[in-house]
């Protein structure tokens, strides 16, 4: 049936409005500078594809870093990252959240530790809560993270913090405040990333030094996504049970996620502070409270 011109115009307008709403609600962010700013060595961060991707550069002059323009209290943040290929020993590419509150800081870290060619890339995770850290765990990645982009995600809600690699959970830190374990829940955190030299500890405990003849070193980022309660913002946002990341489906791992989590822990974990008797003759309380 033929549509009258006025009806066709109305349908076209409604479709356009729906598309515009969809893009504003779900297509975030469009470019790096929408949510982030360079915090360290502007000359070593290069925007690509109109700012939809960036390149971080490390050379003998400097590393570099960037941070979100705002802080957030609970939510989910993810980025697609392609790490340094080849001989990257002594380098660290970090993606983390930090409250920037000195001695009482809260922090949630992904740290990708460079390697010698042919060795697996190690990702170290760490959590600071109320100023206390030293909760390192290390996992060897089961793929080459320098060959292509992979998605790294931090989910943070009132129930737990989960680190994901391509939707595979590699670490869970539960809210066990009821057992006296500190949990980050009061301080908003910004989103940060850095590329820097750390050959005093990064690769085999500092035994493998950075090879500057391979410099400059490059890592790449795209698909920046932050969904959370921005601060300053509505006062009731962080406590709202209607936020999707607080929903029942995100309060614990589902059956598939738990199987994947166990697979990573059994096959790819190479260090866990919970089992390091030289550092902790008595396991910290969070280690005894279940994963």
């Amino acid at each position: 049936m033929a549509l009258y011109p006025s009806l066709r115009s109305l349908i076209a307008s409604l479709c356009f409005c729906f598309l515009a709403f969809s893009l504003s609600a779900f297509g975030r962010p469009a470019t790096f500078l929408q949510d982030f700013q360079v915090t360290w060595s502007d000359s070593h961060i290069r925007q690509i594809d109109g700012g939809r991707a960036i390149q971080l550069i490390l050379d003998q002059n400097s590393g570099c870093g960037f941070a979100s323009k705002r802080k957030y209290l609970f939510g989910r943040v993810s980025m697609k990252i392609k790490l340094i290929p080849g001989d990257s020993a002594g380098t660290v590419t970090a993606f983390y959240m930090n409250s920037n509150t000195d001695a009482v800081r809260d922090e949630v870290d992904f740290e990708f530790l460079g390697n010698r060619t042919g060795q697996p890339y190690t990702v170290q995770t760490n959590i600071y809560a109320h100023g206390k850290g030293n909760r390192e765990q290390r996992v060897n990645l089961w793929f080459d993270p320098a060959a292509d982009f992979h998605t790294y995600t931090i989910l943070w809600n009132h129930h737990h913090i989960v680190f994901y690699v391509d939707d595979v959970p590699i670490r869970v830190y539960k809210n066990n405040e009821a057992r006296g374990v500190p949990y980050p829940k009061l301080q908003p955190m910004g989103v940060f990333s850095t590329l820097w030299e750390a050959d005093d500890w990064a690769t085999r405990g500092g035994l493998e030094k950075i090879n500057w003849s391979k410099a400059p070193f490059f890592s790449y980022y795209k698909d920046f996504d932050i969904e959370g309660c921005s601060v300053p913002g509505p006062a009731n946002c962080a406590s709202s049970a209607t936020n999707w990341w607080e929903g029942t489906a995100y309060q614990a791992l589902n059956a598939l996620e738990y199987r994947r989590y166990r697979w990573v822990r059994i096959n790819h974990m190479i260090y866990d502070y919970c089992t390091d008797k030289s550092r902790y003759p008595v396991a910290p309380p969070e280690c005894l409270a279940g994963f």
Side-chain angles (χ1 to χ4, degrees):
M1 181 177 69
L3 295 175
Y4 290 105
S6 58
L7 182 56
R8 286 200 299 268
S9 298
L10 175 60
I11 292 173
S13 297
L14 289 172
C15 290
F16 176 80
C17 290
F18 176 77
L19 176 61
F21 170 78
S22 298
L23 290 175
S24 64
F26 304 109
R28 51 167 292 102
T31 64
F32 168 71
L33 290 178
Q34 181 175 332
D35 280 349
F36 296 94
Q37 59 191 354
V38 177
T39 55
W40 173 27
S41 191
D42 183 79
S43 64
H44 283 59
I45 295 183
R46 185 168 69 92
Q47 295 189 58
I48 303 170
D49 190 23
R52 284 180 285 273
I54 58 170
Q55 177 193 64
L56 273 63
I57 303 168
L58 168 65
D59 57 27
Q60 285 182 284
N61 295 315
S62 182
C64 57
F66 64 88
S68 59
K69 295 177 180 178
R70 309 187 75 172
K71 289 185 176 182
Y72 302 86
L73 192 55
F74 303 111
R76 183 186 68 184
V77 56
S78 70
M79 297 181 188
K80 288 186 177 178
I81 305 173
K82 183 162 66 171
L83 297 174
I84 300 166
D87 186 349
S88 57
T91 69
V92 174
T93 303
F95 161 42
Y96 60 102
M97 301 186 73
N98 190 315
S99 63
N100 266 354
T101 46
D102 297 327
V104 293
R105 82 180 187 273
D106 293 331
E107 185 171 312
V108 182
D109 299 332
F110 270 115
E111 293 178 307
F112 303 95
L113 311 183
N115 62 7
R116 287 292 179 221
T117 304
Q119 297 175 353
Y121 242 103
T122 298
V123 56
Q124 174 172 282
T125 58
N126 198 2
I127 293 172
Y128 283 78
H130 305 180
K132 182 183 180 301
N134 299 319
R135 296 183 172 96
E136 301 93 345
Q137 294 182 355
R138 292 183 191 141
V139 168
N140 279 344
L141 294 174
W142 51 95
F143 54 86
D144 180 0
D148 203 351
F149 286 93
H150 292 266
T151 303
Y152 303 94
T153 302
I154 297 169
L155 173 72
W156 172 34
N157 60 30
H158 283 82
H159 304 275
H160 58 190
I161 296 167
V162 186
F163 296 81
Y164 289 93
V165 175
D166 289 336
D167 296 324
V168 176
I170 67 167
R171 181 170 187 178
V172 178
Y173 183 81
K174 285 192 170 184
N175 184 346
N176 279 303
E177 283 189 314
R179 304 188 186 193
V181 178
Y183 186 80
K185 71 172 189 179
L186 299 176
Q187 301 187 100
M189 293 192 277
V191 182
F192 296 82
S193 187
T194 54
L195 173 58
W196 52 293
E197 172 197 355
D199 68 1
D200 58 332
W201 66 272
T203 307
R204 294 184 59 213
L207 295 177
E208 303 280 0
K209 302 299 183 181
I210 196 165
N211 183 354
W212 287 114
S213 71
K214 303 294 184 180
F217 302 98
F218 304 107
S219 58
Y220 296 85
Y221 293 69
K222 67 178 183 178
D223 293 359
F224 316 97
D225 187 12
I226 303 175
E227 299 175 73
C229 291
S230 61
V231 178
N236 63 345
C237 179
S239 60
S240 174
T242 62
N243 294 325
W244 70 260
W245 52 86
E246 299 287 357
T248 303
Y250 301 96
Q251 294 177 12
L253 300 186
N254 61 38
L256 175 59
E257 287 178 324
Y258 184 71
R259 286 197 298 271
R260 290 172 170 174
Y261 172 81
R262 293 290 298 166
W263 174 79
V264 170
R265 311 287 284 187
I266 292 169
N267 295 287
H268 298 284
M269 171 165 278
I270 60 172
Y271 177 80
D272 183 359
Y273 77 106
C274 285
T275 59
D276 189 341
K277 298 297 185 182
S278 64
R279 291 177 65 190
Y280 299 102
V282 177
E286 65 268 20
C287 300
L288 305 175
F291 85 98

